Amino acid sequence: MVSALGMTAVLGGCGSTGSSDVTLRLVAADYGDSAANSSRKYWDALAKEYEKQHPDVKVEVSVYSWNDVDRKVKEMVDAGHAPDMAQIGAYADYAAAGKLYPVSDLLSIRTQADFLSPLSDAGQWKHTQYGIPFAASTRVLFYNKTLFDKAHLTAPTTWDELAADATALKAQGVQYPYALPLGPEEAQAETMQWLLSGGNGGSGYTDDVGTYTIDSATNVETFTWLKDELVGKGLTGPVAPGKLNRAAAFAAFADGRVGMINGHPTLIQQAAKKGVKFGTVPMPGRTGRARASMGVADWMMGFKQNGHAEQIGDFLDFTYNEKNVLEFSREYGLLPVTSSASNTMAASDAPADKALRPFLEQLPTSELYPVGKTSWAAVSAAVKQNIGQAVAPGGSPSGVLTRLQSTALAADSSSVN
């Protein structure tokens, strides 16, 4: 599995064990890609520091790769042995099943108030927050400065400018003028960013009250434009968008074969390692800057089974202090989920912090997947499998989006939202 933030990881393992008045069990995902930067080190140090201040509480941490962590937690819950806390990719199913504490039962008012509002809002199920944002990311448009300079181009601010830039890049022999990864790995992300950029009516997957609007007129117009003006004119490269996965598109950008691509912060390091000179700008919209950037988050939650609300809340208040949030965010190139840490990072002149500034600026007004709907997992899977057909030769944007809307409504009616 890949986290919502597009991070992959390969490690598993457990933290320390021991006995004390209360033992809190935390299962967490690994954001590292090697033993050297495993999240295990972060959590072990955090737990040790907390235990030093709270000798009556023991924090037992298990860290698993994104391939395993959601399944591990599900197995624990199904077996009647839920952890006290889980830091994983989704919370809504557990909230709907009545297994989670509301955030207001756990965190201090000060901690609750510090979260960025789009993230707190996305953590709600039935208007009550159960999901606590843990790590966040946004998307911006990356462009290859070397290729743009060679073609005498400036970064686009509208769809027409993006198409014109892509046309000029193609004339220069650029393999992927605009990389459009609509393959099954992460097509729901590229899709949402384009839906949000489709003018004032661009609502993403849902409207303001959470009703699916996948086949809205604006969304159909957006995918019709993509099909006719980018894909149909050969501006998206040699691999059909429906076959192009995000990881392959990122790798091609890092190899200097892509002119433009929507990317999240991990692409900064990936491109820099290969020496690619790049710039970033907000995602262009139909007639100007997109209404909103797509935000994504991974989640922390507290399970009710063991009845440790007070201890869970105190540990999480500690976890979410500014120092700890900044330390985790900086270690993995992610965005802080709290206002205090975001403000500190935004004011920092450290090169790594400055590199994240374009993403940080997008976060307060970003829109997230409808993760508070228990139907979202099924809808996301359907988008991944089918959206590429909307821009394929002979494909029907209207037909594909209408079928996806039907799938979404059916999933919605059969789930508890």
Side-chain angles (χ1 to χ4, degrees), residues 115-408:
F115 289 114
L116 294 165
S117 59
L119 304 179
S120 294
D121 291 346
Q124 294 182 6
W125 178 78
K126 285 196 167 180
H127 309 296
T128 297
Q129 187 182 352
Y130 294 91
I132 308 170
F134 183 73
S137 178
T138 56
R139 301 290 198 274
V140 298
L141 185 74
F142 284 70
Y143 64 97
N144 184 308
K145 281 187 171 180
T146 303
L147 298 177
F148 265 61
D149 289 348
K150 184 179 177 184
H152 307 291
L153 301 175
T154 55
T157 60
T158 66
W159 286 3
D160 285 347
E161 289 176 7
L162 187 148
D165 285 351
T167 301
L169 291 167
K170 182 183 179 183
Q172 293 278 346
V174 175
Q175 191 175 23
Y176 292 89
Y178 178 86
L180 184 67
L182 295 177
E185 179 195 356
E186 208 184 24
Q188 84 285 0
E190 184 74 14
T191 297
M192 183 167 174
Q193 186 62 77
W194 278 99
L195 297 184
L196 290 172
S197 71
N200 291 332
S203 61
Y205 292 108
T206 61
D207 62 17
D208 290 342
V209 295
T211 303
Y212 284 111
T213 54
I214 298 172
D215 64 345
S216 71
T218 303
N219 289 349
V220 171
E221 288 172 8
T222 293
F223 266 81
T224 300
W225 186 90
L226 279 173
K227 180 177 184 292
D228 293 346
E229 301 301 323
L230 289 187
V231 183
K233 293 183 177 178
L235 302 178
T236 54
V239 179
K243 303 284 188 185
L244 182 64
N245 279 329
R246 192 263 311 162
F250 275 22
F253 185 85
D255 286 340
R257 295 183 287 127
V258 173
M260 295 172 281
I261 188 172
N262 274 322
H264 51 63
T266 57
L267 186 54
I268 294 175
Q269 295 176 341
Q270 197 171 342
K273 282 179 183 175
K274 293 289 192 78
V276 171
K277 293 180 180 177
F278 61 88
T280 62
V281 291
M283 176 66 182
R286 181 180 290 276
T287 56
R289 181 171 171 170
R291 182 173 64 83
S293 173
M294 188 191 76
V296 289
D298 294 329
W299 302 95
M300 177 72 77
M301 61 214 70
F303 284 88
K304 294 196 293 190
Q305 181 179 327
N306 303 314
H308 294 148
E310 183 180 345
Q311 292 86 358
I312 292 170
D314 192 67
F315 175 72
L316 290 179
D317 279 338
F318 174 77
T319 299
Y320 282 99
N321 72 36
E322 182 182 329
K323 170 183 169 290
N324 292 330
V325 171
L326 277 171
E327 186 177 330
F328 184 88
S329 300
R330 285 167 168 160
E331 176 67 30
Y332 299 105
L334 297 168
L335 304 182
V337 295
T338 61
S339 296
S340 58
S342 292
N343 291 339
T344 297
M345 183 177 278
S348 168
D349 287 326
D353 289 346
K354 289 174 74 173
L356 290 173
R357 202 168 289 166
F359 303 90
L360 205 59
E361 290 169 355
Q362 302 284 316
L363 192 56
T365 57
S366 64
E367 295 195 16
L368 282 74
Y369 300 129
V371 289
K373 297 171 76 67
T374 55
S375 55
W376 170 242
V379 174
S380 176
V383 171
K384 290 177 183 180
Q385 292 301 318
N386 297 292
I387 195 65
Q389 300 167 17
V391 298
S396 166
S398 176
V400 170
L401 293 179
T402 298
R403 288 196 297 275
L404 287 170
Q405 175 73 1
S406 298
T407 297

Side-chain angles (χ1 to χ4, degrees), residues 403-417:
R403 288 196 297 275
L404 287 170
Q405 175 73 1
S406 298
T407 297
L409 293 179
D412 221 19
S413 63
S414 63
S415 63
V416 184
N417 290 306

Side-chain angles (χ1 to χ4, degrees), residues 8 41 48 50 69 167 288 325:
T8 58
K41 290 187 172 183
K48 186 176 181 181
Y50 182 79
V69 69
T167 301
V325 171

Side-chain angles (χ1 to χ4, degrees), residues 44-89:
D44 280 353
L46 192 75
K48 186 176 181 181
E49 187 178 347
Y50 182 79
E51 289 168 355
K52 192 185 303 179
Q53 300 174 24
H54 301 80
D56 57 334
V57 178
K58 188 77 179 173
V59 182
E60 181 183 295
V61 185
S62 300
V63 174
Y64 298 100
S65 77
W66 276 107
N67 295 323
D68 301 320
V69 69
D70 287 288
R71 175 178 54 82
K72 289 281 189 183
V73 172
K74 185 177 187 303
E75 288 171 355
M76 292 175 188
V77 173
D78 290 348
H81 301 295
D84 295 287
M85 297 165 284
Q87 187 271 298
I88 51 178

